[in-house]
């Protein structure tokens, strides 16, 4: 069954319901929720996407996430994605949203943060590998490993947001 999303405008107002495939194909704005997962020591979870995924197979990501379904909030979608991909039951905290134009198509990206346990139960259909890295190690990895297109901008904005909050 096709994944349904809400097509939204540049003010994030709902225009209608479409398939995610159609939103990507047509370049229509829709919503994606992502979460930066930190452990108690402040390290950040980085993962490599499964080779079987249709979007960005085998690439690394600094965030866990996916499409916001019809009628879902950014927070609800972020929590659902954490449960599906890592077996974590949590409602992440929404930090900010922005229009991200660096993926397959433009979308509103809701960036969340959650403190999660070190031990996660990854879904091998979604996540091939995961590890905990410091911010310094992530900066190096972003230069050396192949990350999804939106990882660089989203992580930069995340760090800027955290710095502004300090």
């Amino acid at each position: 069954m096709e994944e349904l999303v809400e097509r939204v405008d540049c003010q994030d107002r709902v225009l209608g319901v479409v398939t995610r495939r159609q939103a990507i194909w047509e370049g229509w704005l829709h919503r994606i929720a992502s979460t930066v997962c930190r452990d108690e020591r402040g390290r950040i979870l980085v993962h490599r996407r499964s080779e079987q995924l249709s979007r960005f197979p085998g690439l690394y990501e600094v965030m866990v996430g996916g499409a916001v379904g019809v009628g879902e909030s950014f927070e609800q979608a972020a929590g659902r994605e954490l449960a599906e991909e890592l077996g974590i039951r949590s409602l992440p905290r929404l930090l900010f949203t922005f229009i991200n134009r660096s993926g397959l198509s433009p979308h509103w990206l809701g960036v969340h943060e959650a403190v999660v346990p070190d031990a996660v139960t990854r879904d091998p259909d979604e996540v091939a590998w995961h590890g905990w890295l410091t911010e310094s190690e992530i900066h190096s990895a972003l230069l050396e490993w192949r990350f999804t297109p939106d990882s660089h901008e989203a992580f930069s904005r995340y760090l800027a947001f955290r710095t502004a909050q300090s």
Side-chain angles (χ1 to χ4, degrees):
M1 184 166 166
E2 291 262 9
E3 185 177 20
L4 297 177
V5 297
E6 292 171 333
R7 179 181 175 197
V8 294
D9 66 14
C10 59
Q11 277 79 46
D12 197 21
R13 295 178 298 219
V14 176
L15 300 175
V17 175
V18 298
T19 67
R20 185 172 183 194
R21 180 183 315 227
Q22 184 179 21
I24 290 169
W25 179 259
E26 298 291 344
W28 292 335
L29 286 172
H30 55 291
R31 298 178 182 129
I32 303 291
S34 64
T35 303
V36 175
C37 297
R38 291 185 159 295
D39 68 5
E40 293 292 334
R41 296 170 30 198
R43 297 177 303 170
I44 297 172
L45 183 118
V46 174
H47 72 279
R48 186 169 46 82
R49 296 171 60 84
S50 169
E51 294 290 342
Q52 290 78 30
L53 293 174
S54 62
R55 295 176 191 94
F56 309 115
L59 298 187
Y60 289 89
E61 288 191 292
V62 180
M63 295 173 282
V64 175
V68 176
V70 175
E72 268 187 319
S73 67
F74 278 107
E75 294 91 339
Q76 289 168 328
R80 176 179 48 75
E81 291 291 336
L82 280 179
E84 289 174 6
E85 295 184 20
L86 300 176
I88 296 171
R89 303 278 180 229
S90 172
L91 192 60
R93 180 172 66 102
L94 178 64
L95 303 178
F96 58 90
T97 62
F98 70 98
I99 295 178
N100 183 359
R101 299 190 185 281
S102 59
L104 291 175
S105 68
H107 55 272
W108 277 97
L109 185 63
V111 178
H112 301 73
E113 182 178 59
V115 176
V116 302
D118 285 352
V120 298
T121 308
R122 64 180 172 81
D123 176 353
D125 291 336
E126 300 264 351
V127 178
W129 170 89
H130 74 280
W132 294 95
L133 302 179
T134 64
E135 287 182 17
S136 171
E137 291 169 329
I138 291 173
H139 285 294
S140 295
L142 284 166
L143 297 173
E144 298 170 19
W145 303 352
R146 291 188 57 228
F147 279 81
T148 58
D150 56 355
S151 287
H152 293 271
E153 181 177 3
F155 190 64
S156 293
R157 286 177 182 250
Y158 168 75
L159 292 178
F161 177 86
R162 284 186 50 92
T163 299
Q165 299 300 304
S166 303

